[in-house]
Amino acid sequence: MAIPIKYNLLSIKERWTSTLVAVLSIAGVVAVFIAVLAMAQGFRKTLVASGSPGNALVLRGGASSEMESAVTLEQVKIIGDAPGVARDDTGQPLISPEVVVIAAFPLRSTGTDANVQIRGVSEKALKVRTFVDIVDGKFFSPGLPELVVGINARDNYSGFDLGSTVSFGGRSWRVVGIMASNGSSFDSEMWCDAVVLNQTYKRPENIFQSVTVSLISPDQLEAFKNTLTSDPRLTVSAISERSYYEKQSIMVFTLIEILGFLIASVMGIGAMFGAINTMYSAVSARTREIATLRAIGFRGGTIVASFMLEAVIIAVCGGILGTIIILPIHGNMASTMNWQTFSHLSFAFMITPAIIFQGLGFAAGVGFLGGLFPAYRAARIPVATALRQL
Amino acid sequence: MVSTQPNQSPKALIVLRNVSKRYRRGLETIDVLSQVNLDIDAGEFVAFMGPSGSGKTTLLNLIGGLDVPDNGSIIIAGEEITGFSDSMLTAWRARHVGFVFQLYNLIPVLTAYQNVELPLLLTRLNKKSRKKHVETALSIVGLNDRMHHYPRQLSGGQEQRVAIARAIVSDPTFLLCDEPTGDLDRASANDILDLLQRLVSDYKKTVLMVTHDPMAAGKANAILHLDKGKLNSVSKGLATS
């Protein structure tokens, strides 16, 4: 039978100073670990939220992002006539041919320039993306150099308050509206009329980079894709808008995760040595107790299990403390470069239950590895000698 | 009956035949025990005496399955333990041996009750049965009213009585006491020795005790003298020398 867990808990309490050192070091590691995962999760959620499940994104065949794509006006018309495309009250297809450019503006926080994605859209953009709301001012007027600015872009960059005028592409633009898109990447963008943006950047007026299509229902996607690929007039491919943004998030998400694991692993090794030290000192201080338990008849394996359990308890306490310390960052805003669009993307840290479990699991792993050698040593104590130790 | 000659008692509980134990210290080999023969019947109270380094504790450790001899055989209750593996010895100790140590060796973070309960955790007894056993053991040593006290809240004599309760709670075949009064004042020592005597007389326990104290040894039925690893004489008892 196992040694009562109370023995471990009370022993931990008895040696609270050395235990506290191990708990704090593991808490620090878990806090960093959770913070990085929360960052990756927030980034991913922001991008994924940009895609509506009922929307399809049409790009030039072979293009992996809007930046590489081109769709002609003739193709836009054919796409709009495809079966499965939702239509408004007047029978017009709910599609938004769009173009994107990158422009640099000074950040409020540092004054240094950072890239903003400016999206030229059609007047149907708000009907295609129903989760985007104008929270202040109005939508732009077609044909005019007017901007609707995402709330994060307004907060992060200087000079984008409602009513202000900004210059890019060799002309002045007036901020006429502020939009909010339920935490998606559009909050970090600025929208304007696609035709005006093409004119400003001296691009052909009948070329767009993508077409966002609102489908009658999400299950129309396959039929819609088949229609486009089988039409000899089109050289385009369609993808679910959500999948497109999911794919966009993978590179940075993976990068942040790998970096996070690397940082946490290096810190974890340090914390593990702290746990090893704590457990070795526990074994050393309790040599006679361990020998007594062995003499009474507790097996070496039971002693190992008891000390491993103790190490894991200490580590999980550290994990819980680290989680509590880092929990307030949930919802806090951060921004990073989206390497698919080369523009800054604002997102909120997102601590999910799964991340907390990962953090606690990481802590338990550190405790397990940290307790392994001291526990083995405890089980190998020469009983006869240790019984007489003062 | 206690005997240091082979084949003296066919009913002996503890039998040692030509038991030797050597330790190596660097290049030097030290014969701690040399060709020891011993027969101890059940119900005996035997004291081992001798100068420091004479091999008393080593002998006790060998009988208690805490160490293994280099030569010879040890047979306890008809079972030869000499060839047992470490895990077999551990299980055997749990069934057959109750240990009492000079420094009591109680677990400081557990109460007297929990300390006494420890050996029972290795049995199949349920919680209710364990409670009954613990209360009985504590009442035998006269500490029923201290069962929820921690070792630091007890005197040395009381701590040793808890240790004795822990040693007897699982009703082992015999008790091994290594200097049980070595850390106690005279009055407490006498209480402990009286308790050990009572365990032998009233509860028919077999007690083997290592001591430096002639007065403590005087409470035993037989005194075995060790010197330089040899059992030299038996005094006070029934056996031959």
Side-chain angles (χ1 to χ4, degrees):
Chain A
M1 189 187 264
I3 295 167
I5 195 168
K6 191 184 174 198
Y7 170 65
N8 302 99
L9 296 177
L10 291 171
S11 298
I12 289 169
K13 190 179 152 203
E14 195 87 350
R15 297 172 296 104
W16 68 271
T17 44
S18 68
T19 302
L20 190 65
V21 173
V23 166
L24 288 178
S25 60
I26 292 168
V29 176
V30 171
V32 170
F33 183 74
I34 288 178
V36 175
L37 291 188
M39 186 192 288
Q41 187 63 30
F43 181 86
R44 184 180 206 167
K45 191 204 166 219
T46 298
L47 275 178
V48 171
S50 307
S52 303
N55 282 359
L57 190 75
V58 182
L59 301 172
R60 177 176 58 80
S64 61
S65 75
E66 289 174 285
M67 307 296 277
E68 306 164 7
S69 172
V71 183
T72 65
L73 186 59
E74 288 74 27
Q75 289 174 328
V76 171
K77 285 174 181 166
I78 296 167
I79 292 164
D81 289 336
V85 177
R87 293 177 180 275
D88 63 12
D89 300 339
T90 63
Q92 293 297 308
L94 283 176
I95 61 171
S96 177
E98 298 178 353
V99 289
V100 285
V101 298
I102 301 294
F105 296 101
L107 287 165
R108 279 183 200 268
S109 55
T110 60
T112 54
D113 283 356
N115 288 342
V116 181
Q117 181 154 284
I118 299 159
R119 181 178 296 273
V121 299
S122 78
E123 68 269 31
K124 292 205 185 80
L126 290 181
K127 288 182 179 171
V128 171
R129 297 193 184 91
T130 50
F131 58 94
V132 180
D133 292 320
I134 303 299
V135 292
D136 205 358
K138 66 177 190 76
F139 200 60
F140 65 80
S141 305
L144 293 178
E146 291 180 344
L147 282 175
V148 177
V149 176
I151 49 169
N152 290 339
R154 179 199 61 187
D155 294 342
N156 290 339
Y157 295 90
S158 303
F160 287 106
D161 292 319
L162 188 65
S164 55
T165 303
V166 291
S167 293
F168 64 89
R171 78 189 306 170
S172 294
W173 301 74
R174 203 162 67 84
V175 178
V176 296
I178 305 295
M179 63 178 174
S181 62
N182 203 19
S184 80
S185 64
F186 301 125
D187 285 343
S188 301
E189 292 187 351
M190 298 178 199
W191 286 6
C192 61
D193 187 335
V195 177
V196 178
L197 193 63
N198 269 343
Q199 286 169 355
T200 304
Y201 280 84
K202 296 181 177 55
R203 290 178 175 181
E205 284 182 33
N206 59 346
I207 301 284
F208 300 90
Q209 284 171 283
S210 66
V211 184
T212 304
V213 178
S214 185
L215 298 170
I216 295 168
S217 67
D219 54 18
Q220 297 287 320
L221 180 66
E222 279 309 308
F224 176 72
K225 279 164 75 172
N226 291 339
T227 304
L228 299 194
T229 48
S230 60
D231 192 324
R233 295 168 295 171
L234 297 173
T235 52
V236 296
S237 62
I239 183 175
S240 142
E241 195 186 24
R242 177 149 288 182
S243 303
Y244 171 78
Y245 283 105
E246 244 170 18
K247 278 183 184 171
Q248 271 209 345
S249 72
I250 285 173
M251 184 181 159
V252 175
F253 177 78
T254 309
L255 187 74
I256 296 173
E257 254 199 353
I258 290 173
L259 206 66
F261 273 106
L262 274 176
I263 294 168
S265 299
V266 171
M267 289 179 73
I269 290 169
M272 194 175 75
F273 277 108
I276 287 174
N277 192 40
T278 300
M279 291 314 296
Y280 266 132
S281 71
V283 170
S284 177
R286 281 144 64 187
T287 299
R288 193 149 54 89
E289 289 172 38
I290 296 163
T292 304
L293 292 170
R294 294 279 286 123
I296 286 172
F298 285 94
R299 292 172 187 273
T302 310
I303 302 289
V304 169
S306 176
F307 274 84
M308 294 293 292
L309 179 71
E310 192 168 316
V312 170
I313 288 171
I314 291 171
V316 170
C317 285
I320 292 168
L321 182 65
T323 305
I324 292 168
I325 289 169
I326 206 65
L327 218 46
I329 71 156
H330 178 76
N332 278 15
M333 297 303 292
S335 67
T336 189
M337 175 77 88
N338 179 358
W339 293 96
Q340 300 289 330
T341 62
F342 298 102
S343 60
H344 260 247
L345 178 72
S346 294
F347 58 91
F349 281 90
M350 194 177 174
I351 299 176
T352 62
I355 288 176
I356 292 174
F357 278 118
Q358 280 188 66
L360 294 179
F362 187 78
V366 167
F368 183 85
L369 292 175
L372 205 58
F373 292 109
Y376 181 72
R377 180 171 163 181
R380 302 281 298 168
I381 282 172
V383 179
T385 318
L387 280 171
R388 295 170 72 86
Q389 198 177 74
L390 289 173
Chain B
M1 180 181 140
V2 178
S3 166
T4 56
Q5 296 299 313
N7 307 318
Q8 288 298 303
S9 172
K11 294 185 296 176
L13 177 73
I14 296 165
V15 177
L16 274 70
R17 291 288 172 267
N18 302 315
V19 169
S20 300
K21 182 71 183 173
R22 288 181 290 276
Y23 288 120
R24 283 202 174 77
R25 190 179 295 158
L27 294 174
E28 191 183 6
T29 302
I30 302 162
D31 288 316
V32 184
L33 290 175
S34 180
Q35 298 290 313
V36 171
N37 289 293
L38 181 63
D39 288 41
I40 299 173
D41 281 358
E44 291 287 351
F45 183 4
V46 183
F48 293 91
M49 293 197 75
S52 295
S54 58
K56 306 183 296 293
T57 298
T58 302
L59 183 61
L60 215 63
N61 288 342
L62 291 176
I63 296 170
L66 293 173
D67 207 348
V68 288
D70 293 316
N71 294 108
S73 62
I74 300 171
I75 299 155
I76 312 284
E79 192 174 17
E80 171 145 10
I81 65 166
T82 325
F84 279 11
S85 66
D86 185 58
S87 64
M88 286 166 78
L89 276 176
T90 305
W92 177 83
R93 284 197 303 269
R95 285 198 313 275
H96 291 285
V97 195
F99 289 97
V100 179
F101 306 101
Q102 179 180 354
L103 299 172
Y104 332 127
N105 291 20
L106 298 177
I107 307 297
V109 296
L110 301 182
T111 62
Y113 180 97
Q114 290 161 342
N115 267 287
V116 176
E117 191 187 22
L118 278 173
L120 298 179
L121 298 177
L122 297 161
T123 67
R124 291 176 187 274
L125 293 176
N126 60 26
K127 195 174 178 183
K128 195 177 164 189
S129 303
R130 292 203 302 268
K131 185 170 185 277
K132 199 175 161 191
H133 278 70
V134 172
E135 285 171 354
T136 304
L138 282 169
S139 72
I140 289 171
V141 301
L143 280 179
N144 246 344
D145 57 336
R146 296 280 195 274
M147 66 168 72
H148 299 302
H149 285 58
Y150 287 93
R152 65 174 177 276
Q153 297 168 320
L154 301 172
S155 68
Q158 286 171 332
E159 278 194 78
Q160 193 60 297
R161 280 197 275 161
V162 173
I164 291 169
R166 182 180 63 187
I168 62 173
V169 73
S170 57
D171 193 23
T173 309
F174 61 101
L175 300 187
L176 291 183
C177 310
D178 191 0
E179 301 272 12
T181 58
D183 211 44
L184 298 175
D185 59 62
R186 177 50 59 196
S188 301
N190 281 334
D191 286 345
I192 294 301
L193 292 166
D194 289 344
L195 176 59
L196 291 176
Q197 271 189 321
R198 197 153 55 82
L199 290 176
V200 175
S201 60
D202 297 358
Y203 298 93
K204 310 301 174 201
K205 293 287 168 198
T206 306
V207 178
L208 277 61
M209 174 178 72
V210 161
T211 183
H212 277 105
D213 180 5
M215 281 186 69
K219 302 268 186 179
N221 300 341
I223 304 170
L224 292 171
H225 292 271
L226 268 127
D227 193 18
K228 294 176 184 169
K230 290 186 185 296
L231 264 179
N232 282 334
S233 60
V234 177
S235 59
K236 199 180 170 182
L238 303 169
T240 56
S241 61

